[in-house]
Amino acid sequence: MHRQEKELSLSELAKKAEMSVSYINEIEKGKKYPKRNKITALASALNVTYDELVSLKISKKLGAISKLLNSNILQELPLDVFGLEPRNLLELMSDAPSKLSAFINTIVEISRNYNLTVENFYFSVLRSYQEIHDNYFEEIEIAAKEFRTNVLTSDETLEVQLERYLKGTCNYTIDEEELSEHQALETFRSILRIGTDGAPTLLINKKLNERRRTFIYAREAAFQVLKLSERSNTYSWMQVKSFDMLFNDYMATYFAGAVLVPEEELIQDIDAIINSNSFSSEHFIDLILKHNTSPETFMYRMMSILPKHFGLNKIFFLRLDHKPGENRYSLTKELHLDGLHSPHGTVLSEHYCRRWISLKIFEDLVKTREEGSTNKYLCDAQVSKYITSGKEYFCISVARALPLVDETIDTSITIGFLMDDNFKQKSKLWQSEKVRMEFVNETCERCPSTDCSVRASEAVVLQKEQKEKERMVALESLLGKGVVS
């Protein structure tokens, strides 16, 4: 800070203090800690007192950096996931500390306005990590394949075999009664309790069916096979205490999906889907039932296999929750590979387009219930063409009946493919006569459509943007183009 205020370059300060440029550079980057005589020389060269140079007080303009360094955020940030170290940030600080401090203040302000919690930040980092790797982790796939080969057979159900593995090999005790004694915990699928002797007890919600229990057993096996120690003890999450916990939980979930839906089998299933000239919702549901897994697990597995084995990485995954009878929808899970596609969950307090197949299928689910249908899942497909960008996506959506644990929420799972030349060359699904095309937009507040019968809100955001453009045009006509900044 003092060097920059004196407008001294590194070489100029090095010359005045009779030190090497590299040594001063390493001091500023936090790699070297100067002794008393060096600090005295630097203080003299900078024309400040010794005490001022080593003072714990810092100027107001560097206050944000001071808070950053004195907090535990550098320990909480999962920098190692991206091959970074805390000192990399210190190097950035040394280049332009005042500007970085202002930038940090801006980020803090944005996070407050958008309610960006540490937990939400961790989830964002995890999604970025998945996107970087195209949501495919070969070492986990190999571990899952070896587990199936060495532990599982085809003679018994997966539930029976996984339960025996946990009890026999991992010394688990499995309890299906205790959790039901605590009404406040009835929405948890499972809770892991470690006894004073270190023995694990898995408390299972007795409302769960065979499929859900099988998934939880496979997930518990993952923590043992992959030797993941830092983890959550509840499923689903109660709170995320660290990124390592979130990351390990995700890897365990990935392992469970790979065990339940093996890579080789899924490749054959996807091949049959994308090489078909017609989309069949019945066939798609049959594939989910064949693997005895949930639509979410099956379609999330597709997000891992499609980029790796079919070269289709411009895809997205969405899970929306909806309470029947209400006009609000929550985007509770999303993953976008190869850039951010629409829709996405960063739009706050706006109404998602009601023309999306992800939302429309909820209405169909209600109708099937009213008609007394016993279908376990409902599936549909749509070509969604965005009014503003012109981009087209082929979307497959599956809605499920009311969940067993939470009896107030419906869920739709959607996987979408950007219909670029690559997709059209590799699949003819989009030409299916059973698939309709709909013009859609991100939210009602941003939609220019004037004849939408399902609009949930006026286009207030779009109208505001249009007024700003009109003001800019008028201002430029008054002052001349290029004058208005």
Side-chain angles (χ1 to χ4, degrees):
M1 180 189 72
H2 285 301
R3 178 177 64 79
Q4 291 186 347
E5 286 181 347
K6 306 290 184 182
E7 297 183 351
L8 293 173
S9 66
L10 280 171
S11 58
E12 289 172 335
L13 178 59
K15 185 177 181 180
K16 288 171 67 75
E18 297 182 349
M19 300 177 190
S20 68
V21 173
S22 61
Y23 181 67
I24 293 180
N25 188 37
E26 288 184 325
I27 292 174
E28 292 191 358
K29 290 181 177 180
K31 296 179 180 179
K32 295 287 186 180
Y33 301 90
K35 295 181 179 179
R36 179 178 293 271
N37 63 322
K38 299 293 185 182
I39 297 175
T40 301
L42 285 169
S44 176
L46 291 167
N47 196 27
V48 297
T49 65
Y50 180 98
D51 290 340
E52 190 175 358
L53 201 58
V54 299
S55 172
L56 295 179
K57 294 182 180 180
I58 196 166
S59 68
K60 184 177 180 180
K61 65 181 179 181
L62 297 184
I65 291 181
S66 176
K67 290 179 182 178
L68 180 69
L69 293 175
N70 285 303
S71 72
N72 63 345
I73 189 66
L74 293 182
Q75 284 72 45
E76 291 181 351
L77 288 173
L79 300 173
D80 58 314
V81 171
F82 300 99
L84 297 174
E85 296 180 12
R87 68 182 185 186
N88 296 134
L89 294 183
L90 296 177
E91 290 180 9
L92 291 175
M93 294 177 193
S94 69
D95 291 336
S98 299
K99 293 180 180 179
L100 182 64
S101 187
F103 175 73
I104 293 171
N105 274 324
T106 302
I107 294 297
V108 170
E109 186 66 24
I110 291 174
S111 69
R112 287 172 179 166
N113 291 338
Y114 285 85
N115 193 29
L116 179 62
T117 63
V118 172
E119 183 175 284
N120 290 336
F121 173 76
Y122 286 158
F123 278 107
S124 296
V125 174
L126 178 59
R127 283 195 297 269
S128 297
Y129 185 80
Q130 292 172 255
E131 292 164 11
I132 289 171
H133 293 85
D134 277 340
N135 200 40
Y136 182 85
F137 301 95
E138 187 172 11
E139 66 278 11
I140 308 296
E141 297 284 353
I142 293 173
K145 184 177 181 180
E146 291 176 349
F147 181 80
R148 289 185 66 94
T149 301
N150 299 331
V151 177
L152 306 179
T153 68
S154 57
D155 299 334
E156 299 175 291
T157 64
L158 285 179
E159 180 195 8
V160 171
Q161 296 181 72
L162 288 167
E163 183 177 358
R164 184 167 56 240
Y165 171 79
L166 291 176
K167 289 180 175 179
T169 305
C170 307
N171 298 317
Y172 271 64
T173 298
I174 297 178
D175 186 318
E176 295 188 20
E177 296 298 329
E178 187 173 352
L179 199 56
S180 63
E181 298 174 4
H182 303 273
Q183 187 176 0
L185 304 177
E186 64 181 2
T187 57
F188 285 113
R189 289 172 171 82
S190 67
I191 297 177
L192 182 70
R193 182 175 62 202
I194 305 298
T196 54
D197 59 351
T201 297
L202 185 64
L203 307 178
I204 290 283
N205 193 316
K206 67 179 183 180
K207 294 181 181 180
L208 299 181
N209 57 21
E210 175 194 348
R211 174 175 57 78
R212 290 189 175 94
R213 285 197 303 270
T214 302
F215 180 83
I216 289 173
Y217 291 160
R219 189 171 177 271
E220 284 299 322
F223 289 112
Q224 304 300 320
V225 173
L226 302 177
K227 295 179 172 53
L228 304 174
S229 56
E230 189 168 353
R231 53 162 295 179
S232 63
N233 291 326
T234 61
Y235 184 67
S236 300
W237 291 290
M238 179 69 176
Q239 58 180 343
V240 179
K241 296 181 179 178
S242 69
F243 180 78
D244 284 342
M245 189 198 85
L246 178 65
F247 184 78
N248 289 343
D249 279 13
Y250 169 72
M251 286 302 170
T253 300
Y254 187 101
F255 178 93
V259 167
L260 302 180
V261 188
E263 184 174 14
E264 298 81 1
E265 294 182 25
L266 187 54
I267 290 172
Q268 296 177 9
D269 293 337
I270 294 177
D271 189 67
I273 294 172
I274 67 173
N275 285 323
S276 174
N277 291 323
S278 178
F279 177 77
S280 170
S281 58
E282 294 81 7
H283 176 59
F284 195 83
I285 291 176
D286 286 343
L287 289 177
I288 296 174
L289 297 176
K290 164 191 165 185
H291 291 281
N292 192 28
T293 189
S294 68
E296 182 171 346
T297 298
F298 181 80
M299 296 168 78
Y300 212 74
R301 284 291 287 152
M302 288 181 66
M303 288 286 289
S304 301
I305 301 304
L306 282 162
K308 173 68 175 180
H309 296 284
F310 294 90
L312 295 172
N313 63 353
K314 295 183 178 180
I315 52 181
F316 66 78
F317 171 97
L318 303 175
R319 186 184 76 188
L320 282 100
D321 290 346
H322 171 61
K323 190 171 184 177
E326 294 188 354
N327 195 31
R328 300 294 299 181
Y329 302 83
S330 300
L331 185 53
T332 53
K333 184 177 287 187
E334 60 176 325
L335 181 63
H336 306 262
L337 303 186
D338 195 45
L340 184 64
H341 302 294
S342 293
H344 59 86
T346 57
V347 180
L348 299 181
S349 303
E350 295 185 24
H351 297 79
Y352 295 120
C353 178
R354 270 43 179 174
R355 292 178 177 177
W356 291 351
I357 185 64
S358 306
L359 272 64
K360 293 174 68 175
I361 200 169
F362 285 122
E363 298 177 9
D364 297 333
L365 189 60
V366 172
K367 291 178 182 177
T368 59
R369 286 203 194 101
E370 293 174 348
E371 295 169 357
S373 173
T374 58
N375 290 338
K376 192 171 186 179
Y377 304 124
L378 194 64
C379 178
D380 202 359
Q382 178 189 90
V383 172
S384 300
K385 184 169 183 177
Y386 278 80
I387 298 173
T388 50
S389 68
K391 290 184 178 180
E392 294 180 291
Y393 294 90
F394 180 84
C395 303
I396 303 172
S397 188
V398 177
R400 61 179 170 84
L402 294 174
L404 191 61
V405 175
D406 186 346
E407 299 180 350
T408 63
I409 303 294
D410 282 346
T411 297
S412 74
I413 310 296
T414 303
I415 185 169
F417 303 78
L418 178 65
M419 291 173 55
D420 57 4
D421 292 339
N422 180 46
F423 174 76
K424 291 181 178 180
Q425 289 173 3
K426 293 182 176 179
S427 176
K428 302 301 179 185
L429 281 175
W430 56 281
Q431 295 180 341
S432 175
E433 295 180 356
K434 296 181 179 180
V435 178
R436 63 189 179 278
M437 193 274 283
E438 284 278 6
F439 285 99
V440 301
N441 203 51
E442 190 170 343
T443 67
C444 296
E445 284 80 354
R446 301 169 188 270
C447 183
S449 177
T450 57
D451 59 349
C452 180
S453 61
V454 292
R455 179 183 287 279
S457 172
E458 292 298 318
V460 291
V461 175
L462 181 66
Q463 292 167 3
K464 182 179 179 181
E465 291 176 350
Q466 289 174 337
K467 286 182 179 179
E468 287 298 316
K469 289 180 180 178
E470 291 173 1
R471 292 177 66 190
M472 184 61 69
V473 170
L475 199 56
E476 287 182 342
S477 68
L478 181 65
L479 301 178
K481 287 188 177 182
V483 176
V484 182
S485 60

